[in-house]
Short mmCIF file of all heavy atoms in Angstrom, two decimals:
data_model
loop_
_atom_site.label_atom_id
_atom_site.label_comp_id
_atom_site.label_asym_id
_atom_site.label_seq_id
_atom_site.Cartn_x
_atom_site.Cartn_y
_atom_site.Cartn_z
N ALA A 1 11.69 -34.26 -20.62
CA ALA A 1 12.16 -33.52 -19.44
C ALA A 1 11.27 -33.83 -18.24
O ALA A 1 10.09 -34.11 -18.37
CB ALA A 1 12.17 -32.03 -19.72
N THR A 2 11.87 -33.75 -17.05
CA THR A 2 11.16 -34.03 -15.81
C THR A 2 11.31 -32.84 -14.86
O THR A 2 12.44 -32.44 -14.54
CB THR A 2 11.69 -35.29 -15.13
OG1 THR A 2 11.59 -36.40 -16.03
CG2 THR A 2 10.90 -35.61 -13.87
N LEU A 3 10.21 -32.29 -14.44
CA LEU A 3 10.22 -31.16 -13.50
C LEU A 3 10.21 -31.70 -12.08
O LEU A 3 9.38 -32.54 -11.73
CB LEU A 3 9.00 -30.27 -13.72
CG LEU A 3 8.82 -29.10 -12.74
CD1 LEU A 3 10.00 -28.14 -12.79
CD2 LEU A 3 7.51 -28.35 -13.03
N HIS A 4 11.15 -31.22 -11.26
CA HIS A 4 11.25 -31.61 -9.85
C HIS A 4 10.89 -30.43 -8.96
O HIS A 4 11.29 -29.30 -9.21
CB HIS A 4 12.68 -32.08 -9.52
CG HIS A 4 13.04 -33.39 -10.11
ND1 HIS A 4 13.09 -34.56 -9.37
CD2 HIS A 4 13.36 -33.75 -11.38
CE1 HIS A 4 13.42 -35.57 -10.16
NE2 HIS A 4 13.60 -35.10 -11.38
N GLU A 5 10.14 -30.73 -7.90
CA GLU A 5 9.73 -29.74 -6.92
C GLU A 5 9.94 -30.30 -5.51
O GLU A 5 10.07 -31.51 -5.33
CB GLU A 5 8.25 -29.37 -7.10
CG GLU A 5 7.89 -28.81 -8.47
CD GLU A 5 8.21 -27.34 -8.62
OE1 GLU A 5 8.63 -26.71 -7.62
OE2 GLU A 5 8.03 -26.81 -9.73
N ILE A 6 9.95 -29.41 -4.52
CA ILE A 6 10.00 -29.83 -3.12
C ILE A 6 8.61 -30.34 -2.72
O ILE A 6 7.59 -29.74 -3.08
CB ILE A 6 10.41 -28.66 -2.22
CG1 ILE A 6 11.86 -28.24 -2.51
CG2 ILE A 6 10.25 -29.00 -0.73
CD1 ILE A 6 12.92 -29.22 -2.07
N PRO A 7 8.52 -31.45 -1.97
CA PRO A 7 7.20 -31.96 -1.53
C PRO A 7 6.49 -30.95 -0.62
O PRO A 7 7.12 -30.04 -0.08
CB PRO A 7 7.55 -33.23 -0.76
CG PRO A 7 8.94 -33.59 -1.16
CD PRO A 7 9.62 -32.30 -1.50
N PRO A 8 5.17 -31.10 -0.43
CA PRO A 8 4.45 -30.24 0.51
C PRO A 8 5.14 -30.24 1.88
O PRO A 8 5.74 -31.24 2.25
CB PRO A 8 3.07 -30.89 0.60
CG PRO A 8 2.91 -31.60 -0.70
CD PRO A 8 4.29 -32.09 -1.04
N ASN A 9 5.12 -29.05 2.51
CA ASN A 9 4.11 -28.04 2.62
C ASN A 9 4.06 -26.95 1.55
O ASN A 9 3.33 -25.97 1.75
CB ASN A 9 4.25 -27.36 3.97
CG ASN A 9 5.70 -26.84 4.20
OD1 ASN A 9 6.71 -27.47 3.90
ND2 ASN A 9 5.77 -25.67 4.78
N GLY A 10 4.78 -27.06 0.46
CA GLY A 10 4.83 -26.01 -0.54
C GLY A 10 3.88 -26.24 -1.70
O GLY A 10 3.31 -27.31 -1.86
N GLN A 11 3.75 -25.18 -2.54
CA GLN A 11 2.81 -25.22 -3.65
C GLN A 11 3.41 -25.79 -4.93
O GLN A 11 2.74 -25.85 -5.97
CB GLN A 11 2.26 -23.83 -3.93
CG GLN A 11 3.30 -22.82 -4.46
CD GLN A 11 2.67 -21.56 -4.99
OE1 GLN A 11 1.63 -21.58 -5.63
NE2 GLN A 11 3.31 -20.42 -4.72
N GLY A 12 4.68 -26.24 -4.89
CA GLY A 12 5.31 -26.75 -6.09
C GLY A 12 4.55 -27.91 -6.73
O GLY A 12 4.58 -28.10 -7.95
N ILE A 13 3.85 -28.67 -5.92
CA ILE A 13 3.08 -29.80 -6.43
C ILE A 13 2.03 -29.34 -7.45
O ILE A 13 1.66 -30.10 -8.36
CB ILE A 13 2.42 -30.57 -5.26
CG1 ILE A 13 1.86 -31.92 -5.75
CG2 ILE A 13 1.37 -29.74 -4.56
CD1 ILE A 13 1.39 -32.81 -4.61
N ALA A 14 1.57 -28.09 -7.36
CA ALA A 14 0.57 -27.58 -8.31
C ALA A 14 1.13 -27.53 -9.72
O ALA A 14 0.41 -27.83 -10.69
CB ALA A 14 0.08 -26.20 -7.88
N ALA A 15 2.40 -27.15 -9.87
CA ALA A 15 3.01 -27.12 -11.20
C ALA A 15 3.09 -28.53 -11.78
O ALA A 15 2.84 -28.74 -12.98
CB ALA A 15 4.40 -26.50 -11.12
N LEU A 16 3.42 -29.51 -10.94
CA LEU A 16 3.49 -30.90 -11.40
C LEU A 16 2.12 -31.41 -11.80
O LEU A 16 1.96 -32.11 -12.81
CB LEU A 16 4.08 -31.78 -10.31
CG LEU A 16 5.45 -31.40 -9.76
CD1 LEU A 16 5.89 -32.41 -8.70
CD2 LEU A 16 6.48 -31.30 -10.87
N MET A 17 1.11 -31.09 -11.00
CA MET A 17 -0.25 -31.52 -11.31
C MET A 17 -0.72 -30.93 -12.64
O MET A 17 -1.31 -31.63 -13.48
CB MET A 17 -1.19 -31.12 -10.19
CG MET A 17 -0.93 -31.84 -8.87
SD MET A 17 -1.89 -31.14 -7.50
CE MET A 17 -3.56 -31.62 -8.01
N ALA A 18 -0.43 -29.65 -12.84
CA ALA A 18 -0.84 -29.01 -14.09
C ALA A 18 -0.14 -29.65 -15.29
O ALA A 18 -0.77 -29.87 -16.34
CB ALA A 18 -0.53 -27.52 -14.03
N LEU A 19 1.15 -29.98 -15.15
CA LEU A 19 1.86 -30.67 -16.23
C LEU A 19 1.18 -31.99 -16.56
O LEU A 19 0.98 -32.33 -17.74
CB LEU A 19 3.31 -30.94 -15.82
CG LEU A 19 4.37 -29.89 -16.12
CD1 LEU A 19 5.72 -30.42 -15.71
CD2 LEU A 19 4.37 -29.48 -17.59
N GLY A 20 0.84 -32.74 -15.51
CA GLY A 20 0.18 -34.02 -15.72
C GLY A 20 -1.16 -33.88 -16.42
O GLY A 20 -1.52 -34.71 -17.27
N MET A 21 -1.89 -32.84 -16.09
CA MET A 21 -3.19 -32.61 -16.72
C MET A 21 -3.06 -32.20 -18.19
O MET A 21 -3.96 -32.43 -18.99
CB MET A 21 -3.96 -31.53 -15.96
CG MET A 21 -4.36 -31.90 -14.54
SD MET A 21 -5.09 -30.48 -13.71
CE MET A 21 -4.89 -30.95 -11.99
N LEU A 22 -1.92 -31.58 -18.55
CA LEU A 22 -1.73 -31.09 -19.91
C LEU A 22 -1.29 -32.18 -20.88
O LEU A 22 -1.30 -31.96 -22.10
CB LEU A 22 -0.71 -29.94 -19.92
CG LEU A 22 -1.20 -28.63 -19.32
CD1 LEU A 22 -0.07 -27.64 -19.19
CD2 LEU A 22 -2.34 -28.04 -20.16
N LYS A 23 -0.90 -33.33 -20.36
CA LYS A 23 -0.54 -34.43 -21.24
C LYS A 23 -1.76 -34.83 -22.06
O LYS A 23 -2.86 -34.98 -21.53
CB LYS A 23 -0.04 -35.63 -20.44
CG LYS A 23 1.32 -35.42 -19.79
CD LYS A 23 1.77 -36.67 -19.06
CE LYS A 23 3.12 -36.48 -18.40
NZ LYS A 23 3.57 -37.70 -17.68
N GLY A 24 -1.56 -34.98 -23.32
CA GLY A 24 -2.66 -35.39 -24.17
C GLY A 24 -3.50 -34.25 -24.71
O GLY A 24 -4.43 -34.47 -25.49
N THR A 25 -3.19 -33.02 -24.32
CA THR A 25 -3.95 -31.87 -24.82
C THR A 25 -3.41 -31.36 -26.15
O THR A 25 -4.05 -30.54 -26.81
CB THR A 25 -3.93 -30.71 -23.81
OG1 THR A 25 -2.57 -30.26 -23.64
CG2 THR A 25 -4.51 -31.12 -22.47
N GLY A 26 -2.18 -31.80 -26.50
CA GLY A 26 -1.56 -31.31 -27.72
C GLY A 26 -0.94 -29.95 -27.59
O GLY A 26 -0.61 -29.30 -28.59
N ILE A 27 -0.71 -29.49 -26.38
CA ILE A 27 -0.18 -28.14 -26.16
C ILE A 27 1.19 -27.95 -26.78
O ILE A 27 1.55 -26.86 -27.22
CB ILE A 27 -0.15 -27.81 -24.65
CG1 ILE A 27 0.13 -26.31 -24.45
CG2 ILE A 27 0.85 -28.69 -23.90
CD1 ILE A 27 -0.01 -25.84 -23.02
N GLU A 28 1.97 -29.04 -26.87
CA GLU A 28 3.33 -28.92 -27.40
C GLU A 28 3.34 -28.49 -28.87
O GLU A 28 4.35 -27.96 -29.37
CB GLU A 28 4.09 -30.23 -27.22
CG GLU A 28 3.46 -31.43 -27.88
CD GLU A 28 2.47 -32.16 -26.98
OE1 GLU A 28 1.93 -31.53 -26.06
OE2 GLU A 28 2.27 -33.36 -27.22
N ALA A 29 2.26 -28.69 -29.58
CA ALA A 29 2.18 -28.31 -31.00
C ALA A 29 1.76 -26.87 -31.20
O ALA A 29 1.79 -26.36 -32.32
CB ALA A 29 1.21 -29.25 -31.74
N LEU A 30 1.37 -26.20 -30.12
CA LEU A 30 0.89 -24.83 -30.21
C LEU A 30 2.04 -23.83 -30.08
O LEU A 30 3.10 -24.14 -29.53
CB LEU A 30 -0.14 -24.56 -29.11
CG LEU A 30 -1.40 -25.43 -29.14
CD1 LEU A 30 -2.26 -25.14 -27.92
CD2 LEU A 30 -2.19 -25.21 -30.43
N HIS A 31 1.84 -22.61 -30.56
CA HIS A 31 2.83 -21.55 -30.38
C HIS A 31 2.82 -21.12 -28.92
O HIS A 31 1.75 -21.00 -28.31
CB HIS A 31 2.51 -20.36 -31.29
CG HIS A 31 3.57 -19.32 -31.31
ND1 HIS A 31 3.70 -18.36 -30.31
CD2 HIS A 31 4.58 -19.08 -32.18
CE1 HIS A 31 4.74 -17.58 -30.57
NE2 HIS A 31 5.29 -17.98 -31.71
#
């Protein structure tokens, strides 16, 4: 899945950044 947000001036980019940082953490295997 791909999350889409409106470009700045809004804060939506923060959700995308957090998703990118969570890759490789194994979060998908957690409850």
Side-chain angles (χ1 to χ4, degrees):
T2 303
L3 176 61
H4 288 256
E5 301 279 354
I6 294 290
N9 53 318
Q11 67 168 321
I13 193 172
L16 304 181
M17 294 171 68
L19 271 184
M21 295 174 200
L22 288 171
K23 289 182 180 180
T25 63
I27 191 172
E28 59 271 24
L30 299 175
H31 188 279

